C-alpha cells in the first residue's frame, strides 16, 4: 500500500472511516469526543491555570508579548495512521525471551505481538486494541474511557477524554495501543514488554494503554516510547488507564524517549481498589514539549499507590506535569516522589494536588518534587497543593529547586575525577531516592543507562 494512503487527518470524515467496522458504542464514544474536540479551543490564555506554565522555551519571548501558547504547533501538520493489520518481526527486541509477552507498535501500526504459553494457560489476554475490539468488545466497553466503572463520585481529575483539546483529540481518533487483562487470582511473574515507536516524519501517535488486573492478580508492565529517527517531527496524544482490582499488585513503568521534535500530550489515570497495591514509574527523557496529566484514584479502603517520576531535560526541552492523588476511601495511602534534572535552557513545571474526600479518614498521603539545575539558564517551577475535606488525616508535601552543589563538585574533582564524571556521580546520587524504590533491578539498570546517555549527549 502507498504510504500516503496509510495516513489520515483529523476530520469527521476520517473518523467515520476508521470507525466504520467498530461497534456502535465505540463510534458513539468517538463522535462524542469529536464534538468536544471541535468545541474546545487550543490553550491560549493565562487564565487557564492548567496550562499557565506550559510554554515552549524556543518561543518564550513571543509568548511574553502575545500570551499565546504552543507557537510553532499546528495539529493539521500531523497525520494519524489508517489501521491495516500489518504484522512483521522487524522491530522485535532481543529481550523478548526474558518476558512473558511482547508487543511492538510502529507509527500506530502493530508490528509484532507474542505471549508465552504460560499466559495462555492462565487466561491472560494481551492484544493490540484493534484486535481486542473484535475479540473482547464487552470488556472494552466496560472499561475503555469509562470513569464511572466503580465510582459515582465526580472525580477532581475529571473525565480522561475531556480534560482539554488534546484529550478530546485522542478520544476521537485513537489508534493503536493495547489491552492487558489479568484474570482473578492470576500472578504473572515475568514482566510484559511494550514498544511504542514513531519513525516517520509528521506522524501522529494516538496509542491507548488499558491494563485491567482483577482481584488478587499480579502483573508487571514495562512500556517504552521511542523515536527511531532523531530528526522526524511528530505528535503523541496518548492515554493510559490502569485498573487494579481488590488485593491486586500492579507495577507499570513507562519510559519516554521521543526525539526533540515530538510534541507530547498525555493523560494517565489509575483506579486502585480495596487493599490493592500500585507502583507507577514514569521516566521522561525526550520530547520537544511535554504536557502530562497523571491521576491516581484510591477508591478502596486499605489500598496503596506509589507514584515515582524521574526526568532529565536539556537543550530547550519543556516538561509540564500535573499530578493528582485522589483519596476516596478511608485507610488509604499514597506516596509521590518526582525528581527532575535540568540542563542548558530546559524548563520544567510540576503541579501536584492531594485530594482527600469527606469519607477518606485515616488517609496518609505525601508528595515531593525535587529539581536539580545543572546550568544558569535552566528553570524549574514547583507547586504542591492540598485539598482536604476529612478530619483524621496525615498529608504533607515538599518541593525543592537548586543548583548543583559546587562543594560536592570540588570534593569529587579533588579526588582526581574530571568535571564530567563528578557531575555524573552527583546526578546519579540525585536520582537514587527514586531508583531505590523501583522494585525491578532490570528497570533500574535501563533507566541508569538512559541517564548516562543523556549526560553524554547533552
Amino acid at each position: 500500500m502507498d504510504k500516503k494512503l496509510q495516513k489520515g487527518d483529523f476530520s469527521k470524515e476520517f473518523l467515520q472511516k476508521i470507525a466504520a467496522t467498530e461497534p456502535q458504542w465505540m463510534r458513539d464514544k468517538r463522535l462524542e469526543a469529536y464534538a468536544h474536540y471541535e468545541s474546545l479551543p487550543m490553550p491560549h490564555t493565562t487564565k487557564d491555570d492548567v496550562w499557565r506554565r506550559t510554554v515552549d522555551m524556543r518561543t518564550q519571548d513571543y509568548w511574553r508579548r502575545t500570551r499565546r501558547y504552543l507557537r510553532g504547533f499546528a495539529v493539521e501538520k500531523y497525520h494519524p495512521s489508517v489501521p491495516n493489520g500489518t504484522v512483521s518481526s522487524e522491530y522485535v527486541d532481543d529481550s523478548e525471551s526474558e518476558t512473558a509477552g511482547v508487543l511492538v507498535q510502529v507509527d500506530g501500526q502493530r508490528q509484532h505481538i507474542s505471549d508465552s504459553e504460560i499466559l495462555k494457560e492462565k487466561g491472560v489476554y494481551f492484544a493490540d486494541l484493534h484486535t481486542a475490539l473484535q475479540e473482547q468488545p464487552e470488556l472494552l466497553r466496560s472499561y475503555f474511557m469509562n470513569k464511572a466503572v466503580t465510582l459515582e463520585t465526580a472525580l477532581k481529575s475529571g473525565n480522561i477524554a475531556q480534560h482539554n483539546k488534546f484529550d478530546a483529540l485522542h478520544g476521537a481518533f485513537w489508534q493503536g495501543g493495547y489491552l492487558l487483562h489479568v484474570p482473578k487470582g492470576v500472578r504473572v511473574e515475568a514482566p510484559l514488554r511494550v514498544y511504542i515507536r514513531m519513525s516517520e516524519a509528521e506522524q501522529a501517535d494516538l496509542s491507548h494503554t488499558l491494563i485491567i488486573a482483577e482481584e488478587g492478580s499480579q502483573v508487571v508492565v514495562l512500556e517504552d516510547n521511542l523515536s527511531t529517527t532523531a530528526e522526524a517531527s511528530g505528535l503523541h496524544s496518548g492515554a493510559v488507564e490502569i485498573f487494579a482490582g481488590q488485593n491486586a499488585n500492579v507495577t507499570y513503568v513507562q519510559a519516554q524517549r521521543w526525539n526533540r521534535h515530538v510534541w507530547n500530550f498525555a493523560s494517565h489515570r489509575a483506579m486502585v481498589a480495596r487493599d490493592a497495591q500500585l507502583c507507577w514509574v514514569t521516566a521522561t527523557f525526550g520530547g520537544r514539549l511535554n504536557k502530562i496529566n497523571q491521576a491516581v484514584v484510591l477508591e478502596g479502603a486499605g489500598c496503596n499507590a506509589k507514584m515515582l517520576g524521574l526526568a532529565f531535560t536539556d537543550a530547550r526541552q519543556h516538561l509540564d506535569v500535573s499530578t493528582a492523588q485522589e483519596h476516596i476511601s478511608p485507610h488509604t495511602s499514597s506516596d509521590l516522589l518526582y525528581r527532575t534534572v535540568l540542563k542548558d535552557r530546559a524548563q520544567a513545571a510540576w503541579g501536584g494536588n492531594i485530594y482527600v474526600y469527606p469519607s477518606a479518614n485515616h488517609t496518609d498521603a505525601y508528595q515531593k518534587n525535587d529539581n536539580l539545575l545543572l546550568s544558569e539558564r535552566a528553570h524549574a517551577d514547583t507547586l504542591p497543593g492540598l485539598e482536604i475535606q476529612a478530619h483524621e488525616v496525615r498529608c504533607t508535601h515538599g518541593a525543592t529547586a537548586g543548583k548543583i552543589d559546587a562543594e560536592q563538585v570540588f570534593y569529587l574533582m579533588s579526588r582526581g575525577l574530571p568535571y564530567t564524571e563528578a557531575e555524573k556521580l552527583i546526578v546519579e546520587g540525585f536520582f537514587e531516592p527514586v531508583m531505590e524504590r523501583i522494585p525491578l533491578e532490570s528497570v533500574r539498570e535501563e533507566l541508569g543507562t538512559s541517564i548516562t546517555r543523556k549526560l553524554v549527549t547533552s
Side-chain angles (χ1 to χ4, degrees):
M1 181 185 293
D2 188 331
K3 285 188 176 181
K4 291 182 179 179
L5 298 179
Q6 296 182 28
K7 291 187 175 182
D9 55 30
F10 295 117
S11 67
K12 190 172 184 179
E13 290 74 22
F14 180 69
L15 184 153
Q16 293 172 334
K17 177 180 179 181
I18 61 177
T21 60
E22 295 178 346
Q24 184 63 46
W25 64 265
M26 179 58 80
R27 293 199 295 272
D28 292 341
K29 190 177 288 286
R30 285 188 186 272
L31 289 170
E32 180 183 4
Y34 183 78
H36 284 289
Y37 172 69
E38 286 283 272
S39 64
L40 292 171
M42 279 289 179
H44 68 287
T45 171
T46 54
K47 294 181 180 179
D48 188 344
D49 188 65
V50 175
W51 291 84
R52 188 158 52 92
R53 294 174 179 81
T54 309
V55 182
D56 184 358
M57 288 294 292
R58 279 171 282 194
T59 58
Q60 192 174 45
D61 291 338
Y62 175 88
W63 175 81
R64 286 173 178 154
R65 296 194 306 271
T66 65
R67 291 298 190 264
R68 289 180 59 192
Y69 295 90
L70 308 181
R71 183 172 184 253
F73 175 81
V75 70
E76 59 270 15
K77 291 182 180 179
Y78 304 98
H79 306 280
S81 298
V82 179
N84 58 22
T86 301
V87 180
S88 71
S89 59
E90 181 180 357
Y91 293 92
V92 179
D93 191 85
D94 293 335
S95 63
E96 178 181 350
S97 60
E98 303 172 6
T99 68
V102 176
L103 184 146
V104 181
Q105 173 187 300
V106 181
D107 293 334
Q109 302 293 329
R110 184 189 69 174
Q111 297 294 319
H112 173 84
I113 186 168
S114 65
D115 52 7
S116 65
E117 290 300 321
I118 295 177
L119 285 188
K120 295 176 182 177
E121 291 173 2
K122 292 184 175 182
V124 176
Y125 185 85
F126 182 47
D128 66 275
L129 268 185
H130 298 289
T131 300
L133 196 56
Q134 303 300 319
E135 298 179 348
Q136 299 284 343
E138 291 307 312
L139 184 63
L140 271 180
R141 185 174 186 177
S142 297
Y143 287 92
F144 185 85
M145 287 193 175
N146 187 354
K147 73 170 183 177
V149 172
T150 57
L151 291 178
E152 296 180 359
T153 306
L155 299 176
K156 295 289 185 179
S157 54
N159 189 319
I160 198 169
Q162 299 176 13
H163 282 158
N164 54 60
K165 196 172 184 71
F166 295 102
D167 294 334
L169 176 74
H170 173 86
F173 294 97
W174 70 266
Q175 294 290 314
Y178 60 96
L179 166 65
L180 171 63
H181 175 235
V182 186
K184 180 178 178 179
V186 171
R187 299 172 64 87
V188 182
E189 302 298 335
L192 290 93
R193 299 206 64 130
V194 177
Y195 301 91
I196 296 176
R197 300 180 176 177
M198 280 196 285
S199 63
E200 291 189 18
E202 300 178 347
Q203 181 68 44
D205 180 275
L206 297 103
S207 52
H208 190 103
T209 294
L210 179 57
I211 299 171
I212 306 167
E214 291 191 359
E215 179 182 347
S217 63
Q218 176 180 304
V219 69
V220 177
V221 180
L222 311 179
E223 182 180 309
D224 188 72
N225 297 341
L226 177 70
S227 294
T228 61
T229 307
E231 299 300 321
S233 64
L235 164 65
H236 174 73
S237 183
V240 175
E241 294 185 282
I242 301 173
F243 296 90
Q246 182 174 336
N247 204 35
N249 191 325
V250 178
T251 299
Y252 173 72
V253 181
Q254 185 187 71
Q256 186 268 98
R257 288 183 276 259
W258 303 125
N259 68 32
R260 292 175 183 166
H261 303 278
V262 172
W263 301 80
N264 178 32
F265 306 95
S267 285
H268 301 166
R269 177 185 289 154
M271 310 287 283
V272 189
R274 184 182 183 90
D275 295 324
Q277 306 288 318
L278 171 67
C279 179
W280 192 337
V281 182
T282 304
T284 304
F285 300 105
R288 170 175 174 167
L289 183 144
N290 298 276
K291 175 59 178 172
I292 302 169
N293 298 313
Q294 183 184 20
V296 169
V297 181
L298 296 103
E299 58 172 321
C303 66
N304 169 266
K306 289 192 292 186
M307 302 169 69
L308 305 175
L310 57 88
F312 196 147
T313 59
D314 62 6
R316 296 188 178 185
Q317 288 181 289
H318 184 91
L319 171 65
D320 186 351
V321 178
S322 298
T323 63
Q325 296 152 260
E326 300 192 52
H327 290 260
I328 304 290
S329 297
H331 300 283
T332 56
S333 60
S334 64
D335 186 3
L336 179 147
L337 177 61
Y338 267 62
R339 289 205 156 192
T340 304
V341 171
L342 302 96
K343 198 170 184 177
D344 306 322
R345 296 180 63 182
Q347 182 169 334
W350 171 80
N353 282 289
I354 295 174
Y355 300 103
V356 181
Y357 290 68
S359 59
N361 281 311
H362 306 288
T363 285
D364 186 352
Y366 181 69
Q367 59 180 358
K368 181 74 179 296
N369 173 239
D370 297 311
N371 300 274
L372 179 62
L373 311 178
L374 301 185
S375 63
E376 292 291 333
R377 304 192 72 175
H379 180 77
D381 289 319
T382 180
L383 187 64
L386 303 173
E387 187 176 318
I388 300 172
Q389 301 179 42
H391 299 290
E392 299 180 31
V393 302
R394 184 174 71 172
C395 297
T396 53
H397 58 73
T400 64
K403 298 177 182 178
I404 194 167
D405 192 327
E407 290 186 4
Q408 291 181 346
V409 176
F410 176 79
Y411 174 82
L412 292 172
M413 293 182 69
S414 70
R415 295 299 186 269
L417 292 178
Y419 181 86
T420 54
E421 283 299 313
E423 182 184 65
K424 178 177 180 292
L425 286 177
I426 292 171
V427 169
E428 290 175 347
F430 178 77
F431 281 132
E432 185 59 28
V434 177
M435 290 289 199
E436 66 185 8
R437 300 190 194 189
I438 299 174
L440 299 171
E441 182 178 355
S442 61
V443 174
R444 294 194 294 268
E445 291 176 352
E446 289 183 27
L447 295 179
T449 300
S450 295
I451 292 168
T452 300
R453 186 182 301 117
K454 193 81 172 180
L455 278 164
V456 171
T457 58
S458 62

